[in-house]
C-alpha cells in the first residue's frame, strides 16, 4: 500500500509503501529515479527515519550505479511488439518541442514515438515523457492488435468469450468477470506473442474457475500445453527485464 512521500535532502522524494507478510525492508530506485521503500505493515515514523539515515550511503550508491547505466531509450531504437509489430523511437529534425506518437504512413505494423531535436535520453524527465508516450500509444495499438490476437487465441482453444475489452488499469494484466467478459491490459502489446498468449489462457481458464484453485491451474496448464509454471516464470522475468519498455 502506498503511504506517502518523505522529502529527504540527499535522496529527494522517497515513496513509502507497506506490504503485509513482509519481514524485512526493501528499497529500489524506480524507473523515474525515485527511491521506493517498502516496510512491513505497522511501521512507525521513527523506524522510517532510522532506515533512511542508516542506509543513506547505500541508497546513494544504488542511485549512482543506476545513473551510470546507459539510458533506457535511444534514437533509432526498435521495440518489438505483438505479432511482428514494432515501435520505433525517432527524433524530429525540425523545430518542434513536442513528443508525439503515431502510426507510420507507409507501414501499418510500425508505430513511432517522435522526440524533439533537443531530447536528452539520459534526462529522467525526458525518459518519463517517452514512457508516457508509449503508454498513450499502447491504448490505441491494443485495440488494433491485442484484442484480435486474444480472439484468435480463444478460438484456437475452443473457448467462448462474451467479450474482450482493454482494461484501464496498468497493474493488472487481465481480468475475467463472472459474465465471461475478459479485460486485458493494453501493455500486452509489448509482450512476446507466447507470453501474451499465456496471460490470455490464464483468463480463459477463469471462464470455468473463478479462483486460483488446483482445478483452475489444471485447466490453465491444459490450455498452455503443460507449460503454465514455465510461462509464469518467463513472464515475471520479462517484466523485470530491459526488454519490457514500461
Ligand atoms: Zn487469475
Amino acid at each position: 500500500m502506498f503511504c506517502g512521500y518523505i522529502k529527504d535532502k540527499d535522496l529527494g522524494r522517497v515513496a513509502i509503501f507497506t506490504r503485509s507478510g513482509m519481514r524485512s525492508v526493501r528499497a529500489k530506485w524506480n524507473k523515474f529515479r525515485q527511491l521506493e521503500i517498502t516496510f512491513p505493515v505497522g511501521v512507525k515514523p521513527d523506524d522510517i527515519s532510522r532506515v533512511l539515515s542508516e542506509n543513506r550511503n547505500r541508497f546513494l550508491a544504488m542511485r549512482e550505479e543506476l545513473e551510470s547505466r546507459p539510458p533506457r531509450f535511444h534514437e533509432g531504437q526498435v521495440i518489438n511488439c505483438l505479432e511482428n509489430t514494432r515501435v520505433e523511437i525517432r527524433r524530429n529534425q525540425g523545430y518542434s518541442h513536442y513528443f508525439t506518437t503515431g502510426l507510420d504512413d507507409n507501414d501499418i505494423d510500425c508505430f513511432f514515438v517522435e522526440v524533439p531535436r533537443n531530447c536528452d535520453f539520459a534526462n529522467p524527465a525526458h525518459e518519463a515523457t517517452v514512457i508516457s508516450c508509449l503508454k498513450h500509444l499502447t491504448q490505441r495499438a491494443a485495440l488494433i492488435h491485442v484484442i484480435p490476437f486474444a480472439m484468435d487465441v480463444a478460438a484456437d482453444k475452443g473457448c467462448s468469450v462474451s467479450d474482450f475489452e482493454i482494461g484501464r488499469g496498468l497493474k493488472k494484466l487481465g481480468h475475467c468477470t463472472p459474465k465471461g467478459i475478459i479485460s486485458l491490459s493494453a501493455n500486452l502489446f509489448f509482450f512476446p506473442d507466447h507470453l501474451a498468449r499465456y496471460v490470455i489462457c490464464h483468463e480463459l481458464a477463469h471462464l470455468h474457475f473463478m479462483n486460483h484453485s488446483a482445478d483452475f491451474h489444471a485447466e490453465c496448464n491444459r490450455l498452455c500445453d503443460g507449460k503454465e509454471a514455465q510461462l509464469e516464470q518467463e513472464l515475471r522475468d520479462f517484466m523485470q527485464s530491459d526488454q519490457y519498455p514500461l
Side-chain angles (χ1 to χ4, degrees), residues 46-175:
D46 282 355
D47 299 332
I48 297 176
S49 308
R50 188 175 46 76
V51 165
L52 279 179
S53 66
E54 283 176 2
N55 294 282
R56 183 172 306 265
N57 288 337
R58 189 168 69 87
F59 294 154
L60 289 170
M62 282 162 66
R63 181 169 68 187
E64 210 164 289
E65 198 271 324
L66 198 69
E67 282 172 353
S68 67
R69 287 184 203 171
R72 281 159 61 82
F73 302 109
H74 60 86
E75 187 178 349
Q77 183 172 354
V78 176
I79 302 167
N80 292 313
C81 303
L82 204 61
E83 290 195 297
N84 295 318
T85 55
R86 64 193 188 280
V87 179
E88 291 181 6
I89 310 282
R90 301 175 179 173
R91 192 184 291 275
N92 186 309
Q93 299 303 334
Y95 291 95
S96 166
H97 292 294
Y98 297 106
F99 287 73
T100 55
T101 62
L103 183 60
D104 193 293
D105 286 339
N106 302 312
D107 182 349
I108 55 162
D109 289 331
C110 180
F111 293 83
F112 63 84
V113 171
E114 195 171 77
V115 306
R117 195 162 61 159
N118 64 357
C119 171
D120 171 8
F121 287 104
N123 177 330
H126 288 194
E127 183 182 288
T129 309
V130 173
I131 291 174
S132 61
C133 284
L134 286 171
K135 286 182 178 167
H136 174 79
L137 192 150
T138 310
Q139 289 295 328
R140 244 177 87 191
L143 293 173
I144 311 171
H145 294 286
V146 175
I147 290 196
F149 181 82
M151 289 167 76
D152 285 351
V153 174
D156 182 44
K157 301 290 174 187
C159 299
S160 113
V161 179
S162 306
D163 202 3
F164 279 108
E165 58 186 31
I166 295 299
R168 291 196 164 269
L170 291 168
K171 284 248 157 98
K172 254 188 165 180
L173 293 176
H175 177 71

Side-chain angles (χ1 to χ4, degrees), residues 168-237:
R168 291 196 164 269
L170 291 168
K171 284 248 157 98
K172 254 188 165 180
L173 293 176
H175 177 71
C176 179
T177 71
K179 288 188 174 164
I181 298 169
I182 291 179
S183 110
L184 297 167
S185 163
N187 298 353
L188 293 187
F189 177 60
F190 290 114
F191 282 40
D193 293 5
H194 70 294
L195 294 182
R197 193 174 296 117
Y198 163 60
V199 172
I200 294 158
C201 285
H202 178 106
E203 299 311 326
L204 292 174
H206 278 311
L207 293 171
H208 300 290
F209 303 98
M210 293 304 292
N211 51 36
H212 292 117
S213 61
D215 287 342
F216 163 82
H217 285 295
E219 172 66 1
C220 182
N221 198 36
R222 186 185 71 77
L223 293 169
C224 299
D225 303 321
K227 292 185 181 163
E228 187 199 14
Q230 180 194 326
L231 290 165
E232 177 64 29
Q233 187 57 49
E234 255 192 79
L235 180 78
R236 285 167 195 265
D237 293 344

